[in-house]
Amino acid sequence: MTGIDVQVSGLDGDAVAIGRPALDDFAAGFSGSLLQSRDEGFASAVLIWNAMAAKTPALVAQPATAGDAAAAVSFARDHQILLSVKGGGHNIAGTALADGGLTLDMSRMNHVEVDPDRRLARVGPGCLLQDVDRATQQHGLATVLGFVSETGVAGLTLGGGFGYLTRRFGWTVDNLEEVELVTADGTLRRASRTAHEDLFWALRGGGGNYGVATEFVFRLHQVGPRITGGMIAWSADRADEVLTVFRDLTQTAPRELTLACTMRFAPPAPFIPAEWHGKPIIGVIACHTGDPVSAARDLAPLRDLGQPIADMIVEKDYAEQQSLLDATQPKGLHYYWRSEFLPGLSDGLLADFSRQAAAITSPISQMILFHLAGALSERTEDDGAVGNRDAGFMAAAVGAWPADDRNSEAHLEWARTAGGALRAHSTGGNYVNFQTADDGDARTREAYRSNFERLAAVKAIYDPGNLFRVNRNVSPAAPPAGADAMA
């Protein structure tokens, strides 16, 4: 970095001038990279998945070590700079970036160390899901991660996390053994069930409110490497019978089987017959981690429906299943989602689900139902900040469209309307990782429900000045700022 003083956004939205000597002192003790907009690598460092939430920080620090992360946090605190943390950059609300502030891009810290004997994995905050799955599957092991392989591990985990293995092993944070992180005072701490227990409780779902994570330790389970998975699809005019079978099957499914149902327009994919491209379909995505004989038996009710447009459920590598949905969520689109946790699938919910799917305005938007319950329901509501142990399903209106689409307002309105229809059937909770930039404090409280006040109390201990506020903020002392300032 060369040049004159740098103007940055302060914590309270005011402009702050950082003098060249202060920047030089920081850079001198920083073993990673410190970038401004004119520097090579800046553009890729601030690229995030949801183009609708794109912002431009004034500075990007790319830590190479936990010590670097601590130095960056201290620098931001001492100069009262608006601070954000980017792992995979996949958060829909754009909380990875602080407009005009300092962004910590953790991508260099992407180590994965697997201990197959103890069934543990040490994972850096810059890792994507595919990095972890690739390393753990070499030993036939896995932990609970999400559905899109390019998602960042850190953001997924700190928001609670769920995926194909949730029914067997709970939320992602139910499989978290330890977190190393830098808190607002610049101290590097290791939190677990036996050390900084209150902080560990809050990190298990409380998002980026408490510090910069520099390492995660996950419990691993015997999964794969071969499983049965894929998608089977039918014409949308068969939605009633498909949804009925989906509901019946999820009521009796073993925990080795996870199902999701989607209604959308058929994409122009090679596995979909050309005559169906662009036409409304209903599909069921399946992942069965049991033996092939059990999988065939448990999936038979779906195949008994007959006459699918496409049936792609086959025996495959678990890592391949983990990237099955990647093509449905490419980088650079505008994304706007609404989600609700559901206690079950009532007739009214299924009718509203189909009705909102029929009203989709963008050819790449969709309605999705995820089957949950199982292991996550066996713990108490206050076992980790994530809560929502009464969630049998999650429903989402997934709005997506190209950045240059002239009908963006119509697509937004569809997602909001569909989300409102789902809300009528909700447990009262929602998935914090699916919240958008315009979700306000009330929505965050609803995500945490009875755990919110405890989250705020822990926040007051470890971040009393609300340094970490570019997130779904729970501070009792100040409102959200930066990426989440919209009410």
Side-chain angles (χ1 to χ4, degrees):
M1 294 179 59
T2 59
I4 60 175
D5 297 353
V6 176
Q7 294 287 326
V8 300
S9 295
L11 283 176
D12 297 319
D14 54 332
V16 176
I18 307 298
R20 178 54 47 187
L23 279 171
D24 289 343
D25 286 346
F26 172 46
F30 192 78
S31 62
S33 297
L34 189 58
L35 307 173
Q36 291 180 259
S37 59
R38 62 178 175 269
D39 294 325
E40 184 179 355
F42 182 89
S44 60
V46 301
L47 181 65
I48 59 173
W49 164 73
N50 185 7
M52 190 176 182
K55 298 175 179 66
T56 305
L59 295 168
V60 172
Q62 297 176 315
T65 67
D68 283 344
V73 168
S74 296
F75 181 75
R77 183 197 64 246
D78 292 345
H79 294 277
Q80 293 292 283
I81 301 171
L82 188 64
L83 177 67
S84 67
V85 185
K86 178 191 174 196
H90 206 271
N91 183 274
I92 190 169
T95 55
L97 301 179
D99 215 12
L102 169 63
T103 289
L104 269 63
D105 171 19
M106 309 300 287
S107 59
R108 291 191 173 195
M109 299 179 65
N110 60 353
H111 63 278
V112 181
E113 301 171 11
V114 180
D115 184 337
D117 296 327
R118 297 176 62 200
R119 292 194 175 183
L120 295 175
R122 295 185 177 276
V123 178
C127 287
L128 305 182
L129 306 193
Q130 60 189 342
D131 299 324
V132 180
D133 286 328
R134 188 181 300 117
T136 60
Q137 279 292 282
Q138 292 181 21
H139 308 279
L141 300 171
T143 194
V144 179
L145 297 174
F147 297 92
V148 175
S149 72
E150 294 185 351
T151 302
V153 172
L156 173 98
T157 302
L158 294 174
F162 74 97
Y164 292 116
L165 301 181
T166 288
R167 289 181 34 73
R168 289 187 66 182
F169 307 117
W171 300 119
T172 298
V173 291
D174 292 341
N175 299 273
L176 189 60
E177 295 288 336
E178 189 176 84
V179 182
E180 179 187 77
L181 82 161
V182 179
T183 48
D185 60 359
T187 300
L188 188 65
R189 307 174 190 269
R190 297 197 78 93
S192 67
R193 290 185 181 272
T194 58
H196 302 295
E197 296 94 328
D198 57 342
L199 181 58
F200 186 65
W201 176 88
L203 291 169
R204 294 176 58 225
N209 275 283
Y210 304 94
V212 179
T214 53
E215 186 176 74
F216 300 90
V217 180
F218 293 102
R219 185 184 318 124
L220 302 176
H221 308 276
Q222 189 71 49
V223 173
R226 300 289 284 178
I227 58 92
T228 301
M231 187 179 79
I232 183 170
W234 301 265
S235 170
D237 61 14
R238 299 184 64 186
D240 287 349
E241 59 179 315
V242 174
L243 286 170
T244 297
V245 170
F246 179 82
R247 177 169 58 186
D248 292 345
L249 184 51
T250 55
Q251 288 176 344
T252 60
R255 293 189 179 182
E256 291 80 8
L257 176 59
T258 292
L259 299 172
C261 184
T262 178
M263 293 189 71
R264 58 168 298 161
F265 294 105
F271 51 80
I272 300 289
E275 64 269 23
W276 279 97
H277 292 179
K279 294 182 178 179
I281 62 170
I282 182 169
V284 175
I285 300 155
C287 179
H288 197 299
T289 55
D291 64 83
V293 173
S294 298
R297 179 196 64 224
D298 296 333
L299 291 167
L302 290 175
R303 289 198 159 114
D304 287 346
L305 281 164
Q307 298 181 312
I309 296 168
D311 183 349
M312 298 162 286
I313 299 177
V314 296
E315 189 177 344
K316 62 172 67 173
D317 288 343
Y318 175 71
E320 182 182 351
Q321 177 74 14
Q322 282 289 83
S323 63
L324 176 67
L325 301 181
D326 286 6
T328 70
Q329 295 186 31
K331 293 179 181 178
L333 297 180
H334 280 194
Y335 291 99
Y336 190 91
W337 297 357
R338 281 288 182 259
S339 74
E340 298 290 337
F341 287 126
L342 310 173
L345 301 180
S346 66
D347 289 344
L349 177 279
L350 295 182
D352 281 340
F353 182 82
S354 294
R355 187 177 302 114
Q356 297 306 322
I360 286 174
T361 57
S362 167
I364 51 178
S365 292
Q366 58 185 311
M367 295 289 292
I368 303 180
L369 284 172
F370 298 97
H371 187 200
L372 297 172
L376 71 86
S377 303
E378 294 178 343
R379 298 172 182 247
T380 60
E381 182 71 5
D382 63 352
D383 188 347
V386 61
N388 292 291
R389 302 287 178 177
D390 56 351
F393 297 83
M394 192 193 74
V398 178
W401 58 92
D404 59 355
D405 193 317
R406 296 182 180 180
N407 295 315
S408 60
E409 286 302 318
H411 305 328
L412 276 170
E413 185 59 29
W414 170 79
R416 289 168 176 155
T417 299
L422 296 175
R423 191 177 177 86
H425 307 280
S426 176
T427 61
N430 66 83
Y431 186 38
V432 71
N433 279 347
F434 283 2
Q435 289 186 11
T436 54
D438 61 350
D439 278 315
D441 292 348
R443 187 72 170 161
T444 301
R445 283 180 173 269
E446 290 171 1
Y448 294 117
R449 303 163 77 188
S450 61
N451 289 332
F452 183 85
E453 296 302 331
R454 184 176 172 186
L455 274 169
V458 177
K459 173 80 167 178
I461 295 171
Y462 289 96
D463 186 17
N466 198 21
L467 177 65
F468 299 104
R469 61 180 66 187
V470 184
N471 48 46
R472 309 320 300 172
N473 201 249
V474 301
S475 175
D484 295 323
M486 290 183 265

